[in-house]
Amino acid sequence: MKRFTQLFLDVDATTSTNAKVRAIQQYFHDENPQNAIWALYLLMSKTRKRLITSRVLREIFLQISEIPEWLFEESASHVGDTAETIALLLRDVSIEPTGTSSAGGDTPLHEWMESVIPQVKEIKDKESDRLKNLVIDWWANLQDDEIFVLNKVLTGAFRMGASTKLVVKALSAEYGLTEAVLTHRLMGDIETTGEFYQALIDPDETDASPSRPYPFFLAAPIDVEKFAAEPMEQWQAEWKWDGIRAQLIYREGQLFIWSRGEDLITHQFPEFESAVGVIPDGTVLDGEIVCWDAEKPLDFNFLQKRLGRKRVTKKLMAENPVHFIAYDLLEKEGEDIRTMPLQARRAAMTALIDQHPNECISYAKPLAFETFEALEDWRSQSRAMGAEGLMLKALNSPYLVGRKRGYWWKHKVDPMTLDAVMIYAQAGTGKRSNLFTDYTFALWKGQGEGRTLVPFTKAYSGLDNAEIEKLDRWIRRHTNEKFGPVRSVEPFHVFEIGFEGIAESKRHKSGIAVRFPRILRWRTDKPMKEADTLASAIALLKSRV
């Protein structure tokens, strides 16, 4: 635990990409495989399960300290994170161990992750003395920064200040493997064993799990000026559908479906089992899962009802039928064909699907165009087609890893917008935990003196640092009420909110929900009374139906 915590501190202490990579590389150079695989697991944010809530940790801390609850709440409000607040306050608290656990900073990371922390799972009553004594002993035997790391792991909120790309770069530098090979080997599930780690770094390793997906190739936002100068005949255009990007894998007689977020979602879409035995073994298709109405996708709101379900009923499948629109063929008859040009991969994909038809699978059809102006005309029809915009792909492009500019562009439609009034604010997390960066916006409802502001969305991105700091100072001076970490503020400022989609929602007071909301600009030129109305939002919704 001590060595991993030092890695966390080394990475957190610098903004230099090279320094982060060197720190991670040095850690893996010095560490044994049993600990290294767990460090990799944590670095890649694979620990999403919450074992103990922040509330339970807070209650345990208040029971063993003389700090009053109001002071703890004020401290947590300033820090912005309960786990970090506890770690900071414990510096001045004398803890008497209970003798329940002897695990400490010198206990290897793999023992913490495999046997020490899992003891929490055996305790059904999260308010019990046994759980309390375990946590007390862990805190007593660890240093401040080690406590912080432990608290974040326990609450399922551990995040390292390094992306997966930096981790792969460090492994590549240490073991002499290409980043593409390592990225592929790390796709899908990671087995937290020393053997898995040894296989990961073995230059001669060839055996791959039949379920393992390929790293996704991503499009970059279009550089219009650069693209408009390109020879149009060297590019393919297709609709950018609003669904779940996924890979459909059929190997060794088994079907696997992986989302772009590296979640295995096969069980959520049993319809695709019909492809088993139809498409050839050794096939990997890259595409989009959408809800389907005859020959075109439905609104994302339909697909939303299918997500995260442990059990998919026949009724749910009938009301929200899904379809896989294939974009690309990555593996044919067990052979990785990603280095082939898109034009060749596409020809192989269309031939495969035409020869092995399945009612749940089709392929994206290119849009005809000869000029950039013709592309813009297609883009203007996106919303009528239920699409987010266009995908533009170079016909000679290989299927690469991650986001490589110049090969694939996404040319999205301009967002829908509404001018709304900020009514609530909440502090951010991490480095912005002492600033109010998360905001709730409202629209007008009603007429005349009976007009009221109804909350319709939250947003936290779109303002630059100077605007955030200026707004933060204003929020602190114009707070009406406090509700835990949330502040009700004087309704005054108007912001233009952009979003990609709008749908009816019974869960929201406004009756609507918007997709991907963000702040486009601070409307300092617009008084609050001129902000948009809920009627405007509903009219926008009806225009999309």
Side-chain angles (χ1 to χ4, degrees), residues 72-89:
F72 181 90
E73 294 301 333
E74 285 294 323
S75 301
S77 176
H78 179 74
V79 174
D81 179 82
T82 299
E84 186 174 4
T85 303
I86 291 172
L88 291 170
L89 292 176

PDB file of all heavy atoms in Angstrom, residues 72-89:
ATOM      1  N   PHE A  72     -17.401  19.318  10.768  1.00  0.00           N
ATOM      2  CA  PHE A  72     -17.088  18.342   9.721  1.00  0.00           C
ATOM      3  C   PHE A  72     -17.785  18.729   8.416  1.00  0.00           C
ATOM      4  O   PHE A  72     -17.187  18.674   7.340  1.00  0.00           O
ATOM      5  CB  PHE A  72     -17.522  16.941  10.146  1.00  0.00           C
ATOM      6  CG  PHE A  72     -17.208  15.887   9.110  1.00  0.00           C
ATOM      7  CD1 PHE A  72     -15.989  15.226   9.126  1.00  0.00           C
ATOM      8  CD2 PHE A  72     -18.114  15.583   8.100  1.00  0.00           C
ATOM      9  CE1 PHE A  72     -15.683  14.270   8.156  1.00  0.00           C
ATOM     10  CE2 PHE A  72     -17.819  14.639   7.133  1.00  0.00           C
ATOM     11  CZ  PHE A  72     -16.599  13.979   7.164  1.00  0.00           C
ATOM     12  N   GLU A  73     -19.069  19.104   8.510  1.00  0.00           N
ATOM     13  CA  GLU A  73     -19.831  19.461   7.310  1.00  0.00           C
ATOM     14  C   GLU A  73     -19.231  20.688   6.627  1.00  0.00           C
ATOM     15  O   GLU A  73     -19.153  20.750   5.395  1.00  0.00           O
ATOM     16  CB  GLU A  73     -21.295  19.712   7.672  1.00  0.00           C
ATOM     17  CG  GLU A  73     -22.044  18.482   8.153  1.00  0.00           C
ATOM     18  CD  GLU A  73     -22.062  17.361   7.135  1.00  0.00           C
ATOM     19  OE1 GLU A  73     -21.968  17.642   5.928  1.00  0.00           O
ATOM     20  OE2 GLU A  73     -22.149  16.191   7.543  1.00  0.00           O
ATOM     21  N   GLU A  74     -18.809  21.670   7.412  1.00  0.00           N
ATOM     22  CA  GLU A  74     -18.190  22.854   6.847  1.00  0.00           C
ATOM     23  C   GLU A  74     -16.880  22.486   6.153  1.00  0.00           C
ATOM     24  O   GLU A  74     -16.556  22.991   5.074  1.00  0.00           O
ATOM     25  CB  GLU A  74     -17.938  23.905   7.929  1.00  0.00           C
ATOM     26  CG  GLU A  74     -19.193  24.625   8.385  1.00  0.00           C
ATOM     27  CD  GLU A  74     -19.802  25.476   7.277  1.00  0.00           C
ATOM     28  OE1 GLU A  74     -19.057  26.078   6.490  1.00  0.00           O
ATOM     29  OE2 GLU A  74     -21.053  25.518   7.194  1.00  0.00           O
ATOM     30  N   SER A  75     -16.111  21.603   6.787  1.00  0.00           N
ATOM     31  CA  SER A  75     -14.836  21.174   6.210  1.00  0.00           C
ATOM     32  C   SER A  75     -15.061  20.410   4.911  1.00  0.00           C
ATOM     33  O   SER A  75     -14.375  20.635   3.909  1.00  0.00           O
ATOM     34  CB  SER A  75     -14.079  20.287   7.206  1.00  0.00           C
ATOM     35  OG  SER A  75     -13.831  20.977   8.410  1.00  0.00           O
ATOM     36  N   ALA A  76     -16.050  19.495   4.940  1.00  0.00           N
ATOM     37  CA  ALA A  76     -16.357  18.704   3.741  1.00  0.00           C
ATOM     38  C   ALA A  76     -16.850  19.589   2.618  1.00  0.00           C
ATOM     39  O   ALA A  76     -16.539  19.354   1.441  1.00  0.00           O
ATOM     40  CB  ALA A  76     -17.395  17.628   4.073  1.00  0.00           C
ATOM     41  N   SER A  77     -17.601  20.627   2.968  1.00  0.00           N
ATOM     42  CA  SER A  77     -18.103  21.556   1.954  1.00  0.00           C
ATOM     43  C   SER A  77     -16.953  22.289   1.282  1.00  0.00           C
ATOM     44  O   SER A  77     -16.976  22.537   0.079  1.00  0.00           O
ATOM     45  CB  SER A  77     -19.069  22.555   2.593  1.00  0.00           C
ATOM     46  OG  SER A  77     -19.501  23.511   1.648  1.00  0.00           O
ATOM     47  N   HIS A  78     -15.933  22.616   2.064  1.00  0.00           N
ATOM     48  CA  HIS A  78     -14.786  23.326   1.509  1.00  0.00           C
ATOM     49  C   HIS A  78     -13.900  22.390   0.681  1.00  0.00           C
ATOM     50  O   HIS A  78     -13.469  22.735  -0.419  1.00  0.00           O
ATOM     51  CB  HIS A  78     -13.956  23.946   2.637  1.00  0.00           C
ATOM     52  CG  HIS A  78     -12.742  24.677   2.142  1.00  0.00           C
ATOM     53  ND1 HIS A  78     -12.821  25.906   1.529  1.00  0.00           N
ATOM     54  CD2 HIS A  78     -11.427  24.334   2.155  1.00  0.00           C
ATOM     55  CE1 HIS A  78     -11.598  26.306   1.183  1.00  0.00           C
ATOM     56  NE2 HIS A  78     -10.738  25.362   1.555  1.00  0.00           N
ATOM     57  N   VAL A  79     -13.664  21.181   1.217  1.00  0.00           N
ATOM     58  CA  VAL A  79     -12.798  20.221   0.520  1.00  0.00           C
ATOM     59  C   VAL A  79     -13.506  19.643  -0.699  1.00  0.00           C
ATOM     60  O   VAL A  79     -12.898  19.437  -1.754  1.00  0.00           O
ATOM     61  CB  VAL A  79     -12.367  19.088   1.483  1.00  0.00           C
ATOM     62  CG1 VAL A  79     -11.589  17.999   0.743  1.00  0.00           C
ATOM     63  CG2 VAL A  79     -11.526  19.658   2.620  1.00  0.00           C
ATOM     64  N   GLY A  80     -14.809  19.370  -0.536  1.00  0.00           N
ATOM     65  CA  GLY A  80     -15.587  18.845  -1.651  1.00  0.00           C
ATOM     66  C   GLY A  80     -15.604  17.343  -1.761  1.00  0.00           C
ATOM     67  O   GLY A  80     -16.153  16.790  -2.712  1.00  0.00           O
ATOM     68  N   ASP A  81     -15.008  16.630  -0.782  1.00  0.00           N
ATOM     69  CA  ASP A  81     -14.950  15.167  -0.866  1.00  0.00           C
ATOM     70  C   ASP A  81     -14.858  14.598   0.546  1.00  0.00           C
ATOM     71  O   ASP A  81     -13.948  14.948   1.307  1.00  0.00           O
ATOM     72  CB  ASP A  81     -13.732  14.743  -1.696  1.00  0.00           C
ATOM     73  CG  ASP A  81     -13.602  13.243  -1.807  1.00  0.00           C
ATOM     74  OD1 ASP A  81     -14.287  12.651  -2.655  1.00  0.00           O
ATOM     75  OD2 ASP A  81     -12.810  12.666  -1.035  1.00  0.00           O
ATOM     76  N   THR A  82     -15.781  13.719   0.906  1.00  0.00           N
ATOM     77  CA  THR A  82     -15.820  13.164   2.257  1.00  0.00           C
ATOM     78  C   THR A  82     -14.588  12.332   2.566  1.00  0.00           C
ATOM     79  O   THR A  82     -14.006  12.440   3.655  1.00  0.00           O
ATOM     80  CB  THR A  82     -17.088  12.304   2.439  1.00  0.00           C
ATOM     81  OG1 THR A  82     -18.238  13.122   2.248  1.00  0.00           O
ATOM     82  CG2 THR A  82     -17.139  11.691   3.833  1.00  0.00           C
ATOM     83  N   ALA A  83     -14.168  11.502   1.612  1.00  0.00           N
ATOM     84  CA  ALA A  83     -13.008  10.635   1.832  1.00  0.00           C
ATOM     85  C   ALA A  83     -11.759  11.458   2.121  1.00  0.00           C
ATOM     86  O   ALA A  83     -10.967  11.133   3.023  1.00  0.00           O
ATOM     87  CB  ALA A  83     -12.790   9.742   0.612  1.00  0.00           C
ATOM     88  N   GLU A  84     -11.559  12.521   1.374  1.00  0.00           N
ATOM     89  CA  GLU A  84     -10.387  13.370   1.576  1.00  0.00           C
ATOM     90  C   GLU A  84     -10.508  14.162   2.871  1.00  0.00           C
ATOM     91  O   GLU A  84      -9.512  14.352   3.590  1.00  0.00           O
ATOM     92  CB  GLU A  84     -10.209  14.320   0.398  1.00  0.00           C
ATOM     93  CG  GLU A  84      -8.935  15.145   0.471  1.00  0.00           C
ATOM     94  CD  GLU A  84      -8.692  15.989  -0.759  1.00  0.00           C
ATOM     95  OE1 GLU A  84      -9.556  15.995  -1.659  1.00  0.00           O
ATOM     96  OE2 GLU A  84      -7.639  16.643  -0.807  1.00  0.00           O
ATOM     97  N   THR A  85     -11.711  14.622   3.185  1.00  0.00           N
ATOM     98  CA  THR A  85     -11.922  15.367   4.427  1.00  0.00           C
ATOM     99  C   THR A  85     -11.532  14.526   5.633  1.00  0.00           C
ATOM    100  O   THR A  85     -10.845  14.991   6.547  1.00  0.00           O
ATOM    101  CB  THR A  85     -13.398  15.805   4.548  1.00  0.00           C
ATOM    102  OG1 THR A  85     -13.746  16.590   3.407  1.00  0.00           O
ATOM    103  CG2 THR A  85     -13.634  16.610   5.814  1.00  0.00           C
ATOM    104  N   ILE A  86     -11.955  13.271   5.646  1.00  0.00           N
ATOM    105  CA  ILE A  86     -11.626  12.366   6.757  1.00  0.00           C
ATOM    106  C   ILE A  86     -10.119  12.177   6.862  1.00  0.00           C
ATOM    107  O   ILE A  86      -9.540  12.238   7.961  1.00  0.00           O
ATOM    108  CB  ILE A  86     -12.342  11.016   6.579  1.00  0.00           C
ATOM    109  CG1 ILE A  86     -13.852  11.190   6.765  1.00  0.00           C
ATOM    110  CG2 ILE A  86     -11.797   9.978   7.563  1.00  0.00           C
ATOM    111  CD1 ILE A  86     -14.659   9.953   6.415  1.00  0.00           C
ATOM    112  N   ALA A  87      -9.458  11.947   5.729  1.00  0.00           N
ATOM    113  CA  ALA A  87      -8.006  11.741   5.736  1.00  0.00           C
ATOM    114  C   ALA A  87      -7.278  12.964   6.284  1.00  0.00           C
ATOM    115  O   ALA A  87      -6.296  12.831   7.029  1.00  0.00           O
ATOM    116  CB  ALA A  87      -7.525  11.417   4.330  1.00  0.00           C
ATOM    117  N   LEU A  88      -7.758  14.155   5.952  1.00  0.00           N
ATOM    118  CA  LEU A  88      -7.125  15.385   6.431  1.00  0.00           C
ATOM    119  C   LEU A  88      -7.366  15.595   7.923  1.00  0.00           C
ATOM    120  O   LEU A  88      -6.448  15.947   8.671  1.00  0.00           O
ATOM    121  CB  LEU A  88      -7.660  16.579   5.633  1.00  0.00           C
ATOM    122  CG  LEU A  88      -7.249  16.652   4.152  1.00  0.00           C
ATOM    123  CD1 LEU A  88      -8.045  17.750   3.441  1.00  0.00           C
ATOM    124  CD2 LEU A  88      -5.757  16.909   4.016  1.00  0.00           C
ATOM    125  N   LEU A  89      -8.589  15.367   8.374  1.00  0.00           N
ATOM    126  CA  LEU A  89      -8.929  15.606   9.775  1.00  0.00           C
ATOM    127  C   LEU A  89      -8.312  14.567  10.713  1.00  0.00           C
ATOM    128  O   LEU A  89      -8.049  14.858  11.886  1.00  0.00           O
ATOM    129  CB  LEU A  89     -10.446  15.633   9.955  1.00  0.00           C
ATOM    130  CG  LEU A  89     -11.176  16.816   9.304  1.00  0.00           C
ATOM    131  CD1 LEU A  89     -12.685  16.677   9.475  1.00  0.00           C
ATOM    132  CD2 LEU A  89     -10.700  18.143   9.886  1.00  0.00           C
TER     133      LEU A  89
END
